[in-house]
Short mmCIF file of all heavy atoms in Angstrom, two decimals:
data_model
loop_
_atom_site.label_atom_id
_atom_site.label_comp_id
_atom_site.label_asym_id
_atom_site.label_seq_id
_atom_site.Cartn_x
_atom_site.Cartn_y
_atom_site.Cartn_z
N MET A 1 -5.86 24.52 -2.17
CA MET A 1 -7.24 24.06 -2.27
C MET A 1 -8.17 25.06 -1.57
O MET A 1 -7.83 25.61 -0.53
CB MET A 1 -7.35 22.70 -1.60
CG MET A 1 -8.65 22.00 -1.92
SD MET A 1 -8.69 20.37 -1.14
CE MET A 1 -10.31 20.41 -0.42
N ALA A 2 -9.32 25.28 -2.16
CA ALA A 2 -10.27 26.24 -1.60
C ALA A 2 -10.82 25.73 -0.27
O ALA A 2 -10.95 24.52 -0.06
CB ALA A 2 -11.41 26.45 -2.58
N ARG A 3 -11.12 26.67 0.59
CA ARG A 3 -11.70 26.28 1.88
C ARG A 3 -13.17 25.94 1.70
O ARG A 3 -13.84 26.47 0.82
CB ARG A 3 -11.56 27.43 2.87
CG ARG A 3 -10.14 27.73 3.23
CD ARG A 3 -10.06 28.76 4.32
NE ARG A 3 -10.60 30.05 3.87
CZ ARG A 3 -10.76 31.11 4.66
NH1 ARG A 3 -10.46 31.02 5.94
NH2 ARG A 3 -11.23 32.24 4.19
N GLU A 4 -13.64 25.07 2.57
CA GLU A 4 -15.05 24.69 2.51
C GLU A 4 -15.73 25.02 3.84
O GLU A 4 -15.18 24.73 4.90
CB GLU A 4 -15.19 23.18 2.24
CG GLU A 4 -14.68 22.78 0.88
CD GLU A 4 -15.01 21.32 0.56
OE1 GLU A 4 -15.72 20.67 1.35
OE2 GLU A 4 -14.55 20.87 -0.49
N PRO A 5 -16.94 25.58 3.77
CA PRO A 5 -17.65 25.85 5.01
C PRO A 5 -18.26 24.57 5.59
O PRO A 5 -18.56 23.63 4.85
CB PRO A 5 -18.75 26.83 4.57
CG PRO A 5 -18.99 26.50 3.14
CD PRO A 5 -17.67 26.01 2.59
N TRP A 6 -18.43 24.59 6.88
CA TRP A 6 -18.98 23.45 7.60
C TRP A 6 -19.89 23.97 8.70
O TRP A 6 -19.56 24.94 9.37
CB TRP A 6 -17.83 22.64 8.17
CG TRP A 6 -18.23 21.63 9.19
CD1 TRP A 6 -18.79 20.41 8.97
CD2 TRP A 6 -18.10 21.75 10.62
NE1 TRP A 6 -19.02 19.77 10.15
CE2 TRP A 6 -18.60 20.56 11.19
CE3 TRP A 6 -17.62 22.74 11.47
CZ2 TRP A 6 -18.64 20.35 12.56
CZ3 TRP A 6 -17.65 22.52 12.84
CH2 TRP A 6 -18.15 21.34 13.37
N VAL A 7 -21.06 23.35 8.83
CA VAL A 7 -22.02 23.76 9.87
C VAL A 7 -21.93 22.81 11.06
O VAL A 7 -22.06 21.60 10.90
CB VAL A 7 -23.47 23.76 9.33
CG1 VAL A 7 -24.45 24.11 10.43
CG2 VAL A 7 -23.61 24.71 8.16
N ASP A 8 -21.71 23.39 12.23
CA ASP A 8 -21.78 22.61 13.47
C ASP A 8 -23.25 22.48 13.83
O ASP A 8 -23.84 23.36 14.44
CB ASP A 8 -21.00 23.32 14.57
CG ASP A 8 -21.02 22.55 15.87
OD1 ASP A 8 -21.71 21.51 15.94
OD2 ASP A 8 -20.35 22.99 16.82
N LYS A 9 -23.86 21.38 13.42
CA LYS A 9 -25.31 21.21 13.58
C LYS A 9 -25.75 21.19 15.04
O LYS A 9 -26.90 21.46 15.35
CB LYS A 9 -25.77 19.93 12.87
CG LYS A 9 -25.61 20.00 11.35
CD LYS A 9 -26.22 18.79 10.68
CE LYS A 9 -26.00 18.85 9.18
NZ LYS A 9 -26.75 17.80 8.48
N GLU A 10 -24.84 20.85 15.93
CA GLU A 10 -25.18 20.84 17.36
C GLU A 10 -25.58 22.24 17.83
O GLU A 10 -26.34 22.38 18.77
CB GLU A 10 -23.96 20.39 18.18
CG GLU A 10 -23.43 19.05 17.80
CD GLU A 10 -23.89 17.95 18.74
OE1 GLU A 10 -23.91 18.20 19.94
OE2 GLU A 10 -24.25 16.87 18.25
N GLU A 11 -25.06 23.25 17.15
CA GLU A 11 -25.30 24.63 17.57
C GLU A 11 -26.33 25.35 16.70
O GLU A 11 -26.82 26.42 17.05
CB GLU A 11 -23.98 25.42 17.52
CG GLU A 11 -22.88 24.84 18.40
CD GLU A 11 -23.23 24.89 19.87
OE1 GLU A 11 -23.95 25.81 20.29
OE2 GLU A 11 -22.79 23.99 20.61
N CYS A 12 -26.66 24.80 15.54
CA CYS A 12 -27.59 25.46 14.61
C CYS A 12 -28.96 25.62 15.24
O CYS A 12 -29.51 24.67 15.81
CB CYS A 12 -27.69 24.64 13.33
SG CYS A 12 -28.90 25.27 12.15
N THR A 13 -29.53 26.82 15.13
CA THR A 13 -30.85 27.10 15.71
C THR A 13 -31.95 27.08 14.65
O THR A 13 -33.07 27.52 14.91
CB THR A 13 -30.85 28.46 16.43
OG1 THR A 13 -30.51 29.47 15.47
CG2 THR A 13 -29.84 28.49 17.55
N SER A 14 -31.61 26.65 13.45
CA SER A 14 -32.60 26.51 12.37
C SER A 14 -33.21 27.84 11.96
O SER A 14 -34.36 27.87 11.51
CB SER A 14 -33.70 25.52 12.75
OG SER A 14 -33.16 24.29 13.17
N CYS A 15 -32.46 28.91 12.08
CA CYS A 15 -33.03 30.22 11.73
C CYS A 15 -33.22 30.38 10.23
O CYS A 15 -34.02 31.19 9.79
CB CYS A 15 -32.16 31.35 12.29
SG CYS A 15 -30.65 31.63 11.34
N GLY A 16 -32.44 29.66 9.44
CA GLY A 16 -32.60 29.70 8.00
C GLY A 16 -31.86 30.82 7.29
O GLY A 16 -31.95 30.94 6.06
N LEU A 17 -31.14 31.63 8.02
CA LEU A 17 -30.49 32.79 7.40
C LEU A 17 -29.46 32.40 6.34
O LEU A 17 -29.43 32.98 5.25
CB LEU A 17 -29.84 33.64 8.49
CG LEU A 17 -29.25 34.97 8.03
CD1 LEU A 17 -30.32 35.86 7.44
CD2 LEU A 17 -28.55 35.67 9.20
N CYS A 18 -28.64 31.44 6.65
CA CYS A 18 -27.61 31.05 5.69
C CYS A 18 -28.23 30.50 4.40
O CYS A 18 -27.74 30.76 3.30
CB CYS A 18 -26.64 30.04 6.30
SG CYS A 18 -27.41 28.51 6.88
N VAL A 19 -29.32 29.77 4.55
CA VAL A 19 -30.00 29.22 3.38
C VAL A 19 -30.66 30.33 2.56
O VAL A 19 -30.63 30.33 1.33
CB VAL A 19 -31.05 28.17 3.81
CG1 VAL A 19 -31.82 27.63 2.62
CG2 VAL A 19 -30.38 27.04 4.56
N ALA A 20 -31.24 31.29 3.26
CA ALA A 20 -31.87 32.42 2.57
C ALA A 20 -30.83 33.24 1.81
O ALA A 20 -31.06 33.67 0.68
CB ALA A 20 -32.61 33.30 3.58
N ASN A 21 -29.68 33.45 2.42
CA ASN A 21 -28.64 34.27 1.79
C ASN A 21 -27.89 33.52 0.70
O ASN A 21 -27.53 34.11 -0.32
CB ASN A 21 -27.62 34.73 2.85
CG ASN A 21 -28.18 35.82 3.74
OD1 ASN A 21 -29.23 36.38 3.45
ND2 ASN A 21 -27.48 36.12 4.82
N LEU A 22 -27.64 32.24 0.91
CA LEU A 22 -26.80 31.47 -0.02
C LEU A 22 -27.44 30.12 -0.31
O LEU A 22 -26.91 29.06 0.07
CB LEU A 22 -25.40 31.29 0.58
CG LEU A 22 -24.60 32.58 0.78
CD1 LEU A 22 -23.40 32.33 1.66
CD2 LEU A 22 -24.16 33.14 -0.56
N PRO A 23 -28.57 30.13 -1.03
CA PRO A 23 -29.28 28.87 -1.29
C PRO A 23 -28.52 27.91 -2.19
O PRO A 23 -28.86 26.73 -2.24
CB PRO A 23 -30.59 29.33 -1.95
CG PRO A 23 -30.27 30.67 -2.53
CD PRO A 23 -29.26 31.29 -1.60
N ASP A 24 -27.50 28.41 -2.88
CA ASP A 24 -26.70 27.50 -3.72
C ASP A 24 -25.59 26.82 -2.94
O ASP A 24 -24.85 25.99 -3.49
CB ASP A 24 -26.08 28.28 -4.89
CG ASP A 24 -27.15 28.78 -5.86
OD1 ASP A 24 -28.23 28.15 -5.92
OD2 ASP A 24 -26.89 29.77 -6.56
N VAL A 25 -25.46 27.18 -1.67
CA VAL A 25 -24.40 26.59 -0.83
C VAL A 25 -24.99 25.78 0.32
O VAL A 25 -24.56 24.68 0.61
CB VAL A 25 -23.48 27.69 -0.25
CG1 VAL A 25 -22.40 27.08 0.64
CG2 VAL A 25 -22.85 28.51 -1.38
N PHE A 26 -26.02 26.38 0.97
CA PHE A 26 -26.58 25.75 2.17
C PHE A 26 -28.02 25.30 1.93
O PHE A 26 -28.74 25.89 1.13
CB PHE A 26 -26.56 26.75 3.35
CG PHE A 26 -25.18 27.18 3.74
CD1 PHE A 26 -24.67 28.39 3.26
CD2 PHE A 26 -24.39 26.41 4.56
CE1 PHE A 26 -23.38 28.80 3.60
CE2 PHE A 26 -23.10 26.81 4.91
CZ PHE A 26 -22.60 28.01 4.43
N ARG A 27 -28.43 24.29 2.66
CA ARG A 27 -29.82 23.83 2.65
C ARG A 27 -30.12 23.29 4.04
O ARG A 27 -29.23 23.04 4.85
CB ARG A 27 -30.01 22.74 1.59
CG ARG A 27 -29.26 21.46 1.90
CD ARG A 27 -29.40 20.46 0.77
NE ARG A 27 -28.53 19.30 1.00
CZ ARG A 27 -28.21 18.41 0.09
NH1 ARG A 27 -28.69 18.53 -1.15
NH2 ARG A 27 -27.43 17.39 0.37
N MET A 28 -31.42 23.10 4.31
CA MET A 28 -31.83 22.50 5.57
C MET A 28 -31.93 20.99 5.37
O MET A 28 -32.47 20.52 4.35
CB MET A 28 -33.17 23.07 6.03
CG MET A 28 -33.23 24.60 6.13
SD MET A 28 -31.86 25.35 7.03
CE MET A 28 -32.40 25.08 8.73
N ASP A 29 -31.43 20.23 6.33
CA ASP A 29 -31.51 18.78 6.21
C ASP A 29 -32.88 18.28 6.71
O ASP A 29 -33.77 19.07 7.02
CB ASP A 29 -30.33 18.12 6.93
CG ASP A 29 -30.41 18.23 8.46
OD1 ASP A 29 -31.46 18.66 8.98
OD2 ASP A 29 -29.41 17.88 9.11
N GLU A 30 -33.01 16.97 6.82
CA GLU A 30 -34.31 16.40 7.20
C GLU A 30 -34.70 16.76 8.63
O GLU A 30 -35.87 16.70 8.98
CB GLU A 30 -34.30 14.87 7.01
CG GLU A 30 -33.28 14.14 7.84
CD GLU A 30 -31.88 14.06 7.20
OE1 GLU A 30 -31.64 14.74 6.17
OE2 GLU A 30 -31.05 13.33 7.74
N ASP A 31 -33.74 17.16 9.43
CA ASP A 31 -34.03 17.59 10.80
C ASP A 31 -34.15 19.12 10.90
O ASP A 31 -34.20 19.67 12.00
CB ASP A 31 -32.92 17.12 11.75
CG ASP A 31 -32.86 15.60 11.83
OD1 ASP A 31 -33.93 14.97 11.86
OD2 ASP A 31 -31.74 15.05 11.84
N TYR A 32 -34.18 19.76 9.76
CA TYR A 32 -34.25 21.22 9.66
C TYR A 32 -33.05 21.89 10.34
O TYR A 32 -33.17 22.90 11.04
CB TYR A 32 -35.57 21.79 10.19
CG TYR A 32 -35.95 23.05 9.43
CD1 TYR A 32 -36.35 22.99 8.11
CD2 TYR A 32 -35.85 24.31 10.04
CE1 TYR A 32 -36.64 24.14 7.40
CE2 TYR A 32 -36.14 25.47 9.33
CZ TYR A 32 -36.54 25.36 8.01
OH TYR A 32 -36.81 26.51 7.31
N LEU A 33 -31.90 21.30 10.12
CA LEU A 33 -30.64 21.91 10.52
C LEU A 33 -29.87 22.21 9.24
O LEU A 33 -29.95 21.47 8.26
CB LEU A 33 -29.84 20.95 11.40
CG LEU A 33 -30.51 20.56 12.72
CD1 LEU A 33 -29.75 19.43 13.39
CD2 LEU A 33 -30.64 21.77 13.65
N ALA A 34 -29.13 23.31 9.26
CA ALA A 34 -28.42 23.71 8.05
C ALA A 34 -27.25 22.78 7.75
O ALA A 34 -26.62 22.23 8.66
CB ALA A 34 -27.92 25.14 8.20
N GLU A 35 -26.97 22.62 6.46
CA GLU A 35 -25.79 21.89 6.04
C GLU A 35 -25.28 22.51 4.75
O GLU A 35 -26.03 23.11 3.99
CB GLU A 35 -26.10 20.41 5.82
CG GLU A 35 -27.09 20.16 4.70
CD GLU A 35 -27.46 18.69 4.55
OE1 GLU A 35 -27.03 17.88 5.38
OE2 GLU A 35 -28.20 18.36 3.61
N CYS A 36 -23.98 22.37 4.55
CA CYS A 36 -23.37 22.83 3.31
C CYS A 36 -23.43 21.68 2.32
O CYS A 36 -22.84 20.63 2.55
CB CYS A 36 -21.93 23.26 3.56
SG CYS A 36 -21.06 23.65 2.03
N TYR A 37 -24.16 21.88 1.23
CA TYR A 37 -24.26 20.80 0.24
C TYR A 37 -23.47 21.13 -1.02
O TYR A 37 -23.26 20.26 -1.86
CB TYR A 37 -25.73 20.54 -0.11
CG TYR A 37 -26.39 21.60 -0.98
CD1 TYR A 37 -26.55 21.41 -2.35
CD2 TYR A 37 -26.84 22.78 -0.42
CE1 TYR A 37 -27.15 22.37 -3.14
CE2 TYR A 37 -27.44 23.76 -1.20
CZ TYR A 37 -27.59 23.55 -2.56
OH TYR A 37 -28.18 24.52 -3.34
N ASN A 38 -23.04 22.36 -1.14
CA ASN A 38 -22.29 22.75 -2.34
C ASN A 38 -21.30 23.87 -1.99
O ASN A 38 -21.62 25.05 -2.14
CB ASN A 38 -23.26 23.20 -3.43
CG ASN A 38 -22.53 23.62 -4.69
OD1 ASN A 38 -21.39 23.25 -4.91
ND2 ASN A 38 -23.19 24.41 -5.52
N PRO A 39 -20.12 23.50 -1.52
CA PRO A 39 -19.16 24.51 -1.08
C PRO A 39 -18.70 25.44 -2.18
O PRO A 39 -18.16 26.52 -1.91
CB PRO A 39 -17.99 23.68 -0.53
CG PRO A 39 -18.18 22.32 -1.08
CD PRO A 39 -19.64 22.13 -1.32
N LYS A 40 -18.91 25.05 -3.42
CA LYS A 40 -18.49 25.90 -4.53
C LYS A 40 -19.63 26.75 -5.10
O LYS A 40 -19.53 27.32 -6.18
CB LYS A 40 -17.90 25.03 -5.64
CG LYS A 40 -16.72 24.20 -5.15
CD LYS A 40 -15.88 23.69 -6.28
CE LYS A 40 -14.78 22.75 -5.82
NZ LYS A 40 -14.07 23.16 -4.64
N GLY A 41 -20.74 26.82 -4.36
CA GLY A 41 -21.90 27.56 -4.83
C GLY A 41 -21.78 29.06 -4.71
O GLY A 41 -22.64 29.80 -5.20
N ALA A 42 -20.72 29.53 -4.03
CA ALA A 42 -20.49 30.96 -3.88
C ALA A 42 -19.00 31.15 -3.59
O ALA A 42 -18.30 30.18 -3.25
CB ALA A 42 -21.34 31.54 -2.75
N SER A 43 -18.54 32.38 -3.71
CA SER A 43 -17.13 32.65 -3.42
C SER A 43 -16.89 32.59 -1.91
O SER A 43 -17.83 32.67 -1.11
CB SER A 43 -16.76 34.04 -3.95
OG SER A 43 -17.40 35.04 -3.16
N GLU A 44 -15.63 32.45 -1.55
CA GLU A 44 -15.29 32.43 -0.12
C GLU A 44 -15.74 33.73 0.54
O GLU A 44 -16.20 33.73 1.68
CB GLU A 44 -13.78 32.23 0.07
CG GLU A 44 -13.33 30.82 -0.24
CD GLU A 44 -11.89 30.56 0.20
OE1 GLU A 44 -11.36 31.34 1.01
OE2 GLU A 44 -11.31 29.59 -0.29
N GLU A 45 -15.59 34.84 -0.16
CA GLU A 45 -16.00 36.13 0.41
C GLU A 45 -17.52 36.15 0.65
O GLU A 45 -17.99 36.63 1.68
CB GLU A 45 -15.60 37.26 -0.54
CG GLU A 45 -15.90 38.64 0.02
CD GLU A 45 -15.47 39.76 -0.91
OE1 GLU A 45 -15.08 39.48 -2.05
OE2 GLU A 45 -15.55 40.92 -0.48
N GLU A 46 -18.27 35.65 -0.31
CA GLU A 46 -19.73 35.62 -0.16
C GLU A 46 -20.14 34.71 1.00
O GLU A 46 -21.06 35.04 1.76
CB GLU A 46 -20.39 35.12 -1.46
CG GLU A 46 -20.33 36.13 -2.58
CD GLU A 46 -20.76 35.54 -3.92
OE1 GLU A 46 -20.44 34.38 -4.22
OE2 GLU A 46 -21.42 36.27 -4.67
N ILE A 47 -19.45 33.60 1.14
CA ILE A 47 -19.76 32.69 2.24
C ILE A 47 -19.38 33.32 3.58
O ILE A 47 -20.13 33.22 4.56
CB ILE A 47 -19.04 31.33 2.03
CG1 ILE A 47 -19.65 30.61 0.82
CG2 ILE A 47 -19.12 30.47 3.29
CD1 ILE A 47 -18.87 29.39 0.34
N GLN A 48 -18.26 33.99 3.60
CA GLN A 48 -17.84 34.66 4.84
C GLN A 48 -18.86 35.72 5.23
O GLN A 48 -19.32 35.78 6.38
CB GLN A 48 -16.46 35.30 4.63
CG GLN A 48 -15.89 35.96 5.87
CD GLN A 48 -15.42 34.95 6.91
OE1 GLN A 48 -14.69 34.03 6.60
NE2 GLN A 48 -15.84 35.13 8.15
N ASN A 49 -19.22 36.57 4.27
CA ASN A 49 -20.10 37.71 4.57
C ASN A 49 -21.56 37.31 4.73
O ASN A 49 -22.28 37.91 5.53
CB ASN A 49 -20.00 38.76 3.44
CG ASN A 49 -18.62 39.39 3.37
OD1 ASN A 49 -17.88 39.39 4.34
ND2 ASN A 49 -18.27 39.90 2.21
N GLY A 50 -22.01 36.32 3.96
CA GLY A 50 -23.43 35.99 3.93
C GLY A 50 -23.84 34.87 4.86
O GLY A 50 -25.03 34.63 5.07
N ALA A 51 -22.84 34.19 5.44
CA ALA A 51 -23.17 33.07 6.31
C ALA A 51 -22.34 33.10 7.59
O ALA A 51 -22.88 33.28 8.68
CB ALA A 51 -22.97 31.74 5.57
N ILE A 52 -21.05 32.96 7.46
CA ILE A 52 -20.20 32.83 8.65
C ILE A 52 -20.31 34.05 9.55
O ILE A 52 -20.49 33.92 10.77
CB ILE A 52 -18.74 32.57 8.23
CG1 ILE A 52 -18.64 31.17 7.60
CG2 ILE A 52 -17.80 32.70 9.44
CD1 ILE A 52 -17.29 30.82 7.05
N ASP A 53 -20.25 35.23 8.97
CA ASP A 53 -20.26 36.45 9.79
C ASP A 53 -21.64 36.80 10.34
O ASP A 53 -21.73 37.59 11.29
CB ASP A 53 -19.75 37.64 8.97
CG ASP A 53 -18.24 37.58 8.77
OD1 ASP A 53 -17.59 36.72 9.37
OD2 ASP A 53 -17.72 38.40 7.98
N VAL A 54 -22.70 36.26 9.75
CA VAL A 54 -24.05 36.65 10.17
C VAL A 54 -24.83 35.54 10.87
O VAL A 54 -25.93 35.78 11.38
CB VAL A 54 -24.87 37.19 8.97
CG1 VAL A 54 -24.24 38.47 8.44
CG2 VAL A 54 -25.01 36.15 7.87
N CYS A 55 -24.31 34.34 10.90
CA CYS A 55 -25.01 33.25 11.59
C CYS A 55 -25.16 33.62 13.06
O CYS A 55 -24.18 33.83 13.76
CB CYS A 55 -24.21 31.96 11.46
SG CYS A 55 -24.82 30.63 12.52
N PRO A 56 -26.40 33.71 13.56
CA PRO A 56 -26.61 34.13 14.94
C PRO A 56 -26.02 33.15 15.95
O PRO A 56 -25.71 33.53 17.08
CB PRO A 56 -28.13 34.23 15.09
CG PRO A 56 -28.73 33.83 13.80
CD PRO A 56 -27.65 33.49 12.82
N ALA A 57 -25.89 31.91 15.56
CA ALA A 57 -25.35 30.90 16.47
C ALA A 57 -23.83 30.76 16.32
O ALA A 57 -23.21 29.98 17.04
CB ALA A 57 -26.01 29.56 16.21
N GLU A 58 -23.26 31.49 15.37
CA GLU A 58 -21.81 31.42 15.09
C GLU A 58 -21.36 29.97 14.92
O GLU A 58 -20.33 29.56 15.47
CB GLU A 58 -21.02 32.12 16.20
CG GLU A 58 -21.37 33.59 16.32
CD GLU A 58 -20.54 34.31 17.38
OE1 GLU A 58 -19.66 33.70 17.99
OE2 GLU A 58 -20.79 35.52 17.57
N CYS A 59 -22.16 29.22 14.18
CA CYS A 59 -21.85 27.79 14.07
C CYS A 59 -21.43 27.35 12.67
O CYS A 59 -21.37 26.17 12.38
CB CYS A 59 -23.04 26.96 14.54
SG CYS A 59 -24.50 27.07 13.51
N ILE A 60 -21.12 28.34 11.81
CA ILE A 60 -20.58 27.98 10.49
C ILE A 60 -19.09 28.32 10.50
O ILE A 60 -18.71 29.43 10.85
CB ILE A 60 -21.29 28.75 9.36
CG1 ILE A 60 -22.80 28.59 9.47
CG2 ILE A 60 -20.81 28.23 8.01
CD1 ILE A 60 -23.59 29.42 8.47
N HIS A 61 -18.30 27.36 10.15
CA HIS A 61 -16.83 27.50 10.22
C HIS A 61 -16.21 27.04 8.91
O HIS A 61 -16.82 26.31 8.14
CB HIS A 61 -16.28 26.63 11.36
CG HIS A 61 -16.99 26.81 12.65
ND1 HIS A 61 -16.81 27.91 13.46
CD2 HIS A 61 -17.92 26.03 13.28
CE1 HIS A 61 -17.58 27.79 14.55
NE2 HIS A 61 -18.26 26.68 14.44
N TRP A 62 -14.98 27.45 8.71
CA TRP A 62 -14.19 26.87 7.60
C TRP A 62 -13.61 25.56 8.09
O TRP A 62 -13.15 25.46 9.23
CB TRP A 62 -13.06 27.82 7.18
CG TRP A 62 -13.54 29.10 6.58
CD1 TRP A 62 -13.45 30.34 7.12
CD2 TRP A 62 -14.19 29.26 5.32
NE1 TRP A 62 -14.01 31.26 6.28
CE2 TRP A 62 -14.46 30.64 5.17
CE3 TRP A 62 -14.58 28.38 4.30
CZ2 TRP A 62 -15.11 31.15 4.04
CZ3 TRP A 62 -15.22 28.89 3.18
CH2 TRP A 62 -15.48 30.25 3.06
N LYS A 63 -13.61 24.58 7.23
CA LYS A 63 -13.02 23.28 7.57
C LYS A 63 -11.53 23.44 7.75
O LYS A 63 -10.89 24.18 7.02
CB LYS A 63 -13.29 22.28 6.44
CG LYS A 63 -14.60 21.56 6.57
CD LYS A 63 -14.68 20.47 5.51
CE LYS A 63 -16.06 19.86 5.47
NZ LYS A 63 -16.19 18.94 4.33
S1 SF4 B 101 -27.49 30.88 9.92
FE1 SF4 B 101 -26.56 29.53 11.45
S2 SF4 B 101 -28.18 29.09 12.95
FE2 SF4 B 101 -29.15 29.92 11.09
S3 SF4 B 101 -29.71 28.09 9.90
FE3 SF4 B 101 -27.68 28.78 9.19
S4 SF4 B 101 -26.21 27.57 10.42
FE4 SF4 B 101 -28.21 27.46 11.45
#
């Protein structure tokens, strides 16, 4: 089964980078914290490179 990204919202600083890079995977919730709403919106490599590796708070992880 494919891995799914998960945002630790306790650590998210609302910078918006993951949403800007991968809008088909991440969005901001009602509290303006990032969440993964569509884990299949990009390849694992794209998620790794565009979100997990660049999140300044290092708060996006694989489940
Ligand atoms: S890149 Fe990280 S800190 Fe920035 S909005 Fe996404 S999860 Fe939050």
